[in-house]
Amino acid sequence: MEKLPITMADEEQFESAESGASKTIPKQCSALRKGDFVCIKNRPCKIVEMSTSKTGKHGHAKVHLVGIDVFTGKKYEDICPSTHNMLSPVVKRTEYTFVDKTDDKFLRLMNDNGEIREDLRCPDEELGKEIDAKIEAGESFLVTVLEAMGEECVVSCKNLSSDK
């Protein structure tokens, strides 16, 4: 049996370290419900309102969706035939133990494996004030990080339970 020569393509390495999982999945519009996540204008949104029109003489029933961007809070609307697919973002929630806040307003967080991350900025407005108040009071707390479509942000915080 003859051995083939190794070519340059055989030796190339992949630059990406991602798992290859999709950031969105298709979902039929009629299967969406209030509280579900959906992409509207290519942004991950949580559905806050939806209504379905009746089938007209020119085709499908239409679904009117109103969603709030999970990262910016901006309101988006879309209308889609109920039989068509819409993209639904894969949303992941992770809880981290708060460790510290740096001088440049980044949070130092620890996961369950003891690994530290310092790449998330402390949110502004109400949540940022709540985090600052907990830091000032010397409380131990968890922060919840929401990840969707390659973006991440801190969305909530809660006190550590004493029953651990």
Side-chain angles (χ1 to χ4, degrees):
M1 191 184 239
E2 194 177 319
K3 192 172 183 182
L4 296 173
I6 296 175
T7 62
M8 192 136 174
D10 293 333
E11 297 172 352
E12 287 180 19
Q13 295 292 320
F14 291 103
E15 294 294 319
S16 174
E18 291 183 26
S19 64
S22 178
K23 293 177 178 162
T24 59
I25 53 172
K27 200 167 185 184
Q28 190 166 8
C29 202
S30 60
L32 294 170
R33 299 287 174 254
K34 189 174 174 179
D36 286 352
F37 295 100
V38 68
C39 293
I40 301 176
K41 298 192 181 7
N42 211 26
R43 295 293 304 160
C45 296
K46 187 170 189 171
I47 300 171
V48 292
E49 280 180 50
M50 65 184 300
S51 59
T52 306
S53 68
K54 291 184 179 173
T55 306
K57 70 177 186 180
H58 295 295
H60 307 286
K62 303 272 192 291
V63 178
H64 176 248
L65 299 166
V66 178
I68 303 293
D69 189 309
V70 295
F71 297 117
T72 65
K74 189 175 175 187
K75 187 177 185 178
Y76 289 99
E77 295 187 47
D78 198 5
I79 295 176
C80 179
S82 63
T83 56
H84 287 201
N85 282 344
M86 288 190 79
L87 291 178
S88 181
V90 176
V91 177
K92 182 179 162 192
R93 287 181 185 270
T94 311
E95 285 191 340
Y96 293 92
T97 304
F98 173 82
V99 177
D100 194 14
K101 183 176 170 184
T102 64
D103 293 336
D104 52 353
K105 296 186 180 175
F106 280 88
L107 300 177
R108 190 170 288 129
L109 307 171
M110 182 173 61
N111 68 10
D112 292 339
N113 299 331
E115 298 164 346
I116 301 287
R117 66 180 294 184
E118 300 177 353
D119 60 338
L120 291 170
R121 186 174 289 280
C122 186
D124 296 329
E125 300 166 20
E126 290 301 314
L127 182 56
K129 289 176 185 170
E130 185 180 344
I131 289 171
D132 288 339
K134 288 182 183 298
I135 294 168
E136 193 71 33
E139 296 178 26
S140 295
F141 60 97
L142 298 173
V143 296
T144 303
V145 175
L146 192 76
E147 180 184 350
M149 297 176 66
E151 287 184 59
E152 288 182 297
C153 77
V154 176
V155 293
S156 69
C157 66
K158 66 179 182 181
N159 287 342
L160 276 170
S161 58
S162 58
D163 60 320
K164 282 189 173 181

